[in-house]
């Protein structure tokens, strides 16, 4: 519990996409493609979940466009496809924290009714983050 004197202010800050930004920085720090890590960090800040959703619904984002154009497109995807967006969100977080597709089906059956559904979303995510599986393997080897 946090208590503060009445003369103090307690603020809450949302570091939007911070886990994904840190993941991108870790990719870079561990020698994976700096261009891939930069693109990953950019998508983490602009809307990684929506970018995965865009691939799923056939509306991929043009990563050569400026940030404001990309952000507008990703915001429209987030608003237009809430179910797919929520599924993408679970895909990104589950994978970033090392969950397998089997774990995704077990933990989130309302989003991944089958292993094939989990693998499909993971495929879209890895299309945007191709170095992620290798980094996870290296990290697990180091931990072992």
């Amino acid at each position: 519990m946090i208590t503060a004197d009445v003369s103090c202010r307690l603020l809450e800050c949302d570091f939007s996409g911070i886990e994904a930004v840190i993941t991108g920085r870790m990719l870079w720090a561990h020698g994976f493609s700096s261009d891939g890590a930069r693109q990953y960090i950019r998508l983490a800040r602009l809307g990684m979940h929506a970018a995965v959703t865009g691939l799923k619904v056939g509306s991929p984002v043009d990563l050569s466009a400026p940030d404001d154009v990309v952000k507008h497109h990703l915001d429209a995807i987030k608003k237009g496809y809430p179910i797919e967006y929520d599924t993408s969100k679970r895909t990104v977080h589950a994978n970033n924290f090392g969950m397998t597709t089997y774990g995704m089906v077990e933990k989130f059956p309302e989003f991944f009714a089958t292993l094939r559904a989990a693998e499909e979303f993971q495929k879209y995510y890895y299309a945007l983050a191709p170095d992620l599986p290798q980094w996870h393997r290296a990290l697990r080897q180091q931990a072992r």
Side-chain angles (χ1 to χ4, degrees), residues 39 43 47-63 73-74 77 81 84 88 120-130:
Q39 175 180 292
L43 280 173
M48 178 65 80
H49 311 313
V52 173
T53 303
L55 290 176
K56 167 66 177 163
V57 302
S59 184
V61 65
D62 177 6
L63 295 172
H73 182 76
L74 294 176
I77 289 171
Y81 300 93
E84 293 86 352
S88 295
E120 178 185 21
F121 272 88
Q122 186 180 59
K123 177 186 76 171
Y124 295 131
Y125 182 42
Y126 287 167
L128 296 168

Side-chain angles (χ1 to χ4, degrees), residues 16-30:
S16 184
I18 193 65
E19 293 95 347
V21 171
I22 291 170
T23 298
R25 292 198 179 276
M26 294 305 291
L27 285 167
W28 198 339
H30 286 94

Side-chain angles (χ1 to χ4, degrees), residues 31-123:
F32 289 91
S33 161
S34 62
D35 289 340
R38 271 190 267 258
Q39 175 180 292
Y40 186 93
I41 292 167
R42 180 179 183 220
L43 280 173
R45 290 186 172 138
L46 296 174
M48 178 65 80
H49 311 313
V52 173
T53 303
L55 290 176
K56 167 66 177 163
V57 302
S59 184
V61 65
D62 177 6
L63 295 172
S64 67
D67 283 359
D68 61 327
V69 173
V70 171
K71 179 73 171 141
H72 179 74
H73 182 76
L74 294 176
D75 287 347
I77 289 171
K78 179 180 178 179
K79 185 177 181 181
Y81 300 93
I83 294 169
E84 293 86 352
Y85 178 86
D86 283 346
T87 306
S88 295
K89 189 172 185 176
R90 272 126 188 109
T91 301
V92 171
H93 289 297
N95 279 276
N96 282 0
F97 291 108
M99 189 178 285
T100 66
T101 51
Y102 295 100
M104 291 163 62
V105 172
E106 184 178 316
K107 177 84 173 164
F108 308 111
E110 66 277 22
F111 292 97
F112 308 105
T114 65
L115 183 60
R116 187 175 190 171
E119 289 169 344
E120 178 185 21
F121 272 88
Q122 186 180 59
K123 177 186 76 171

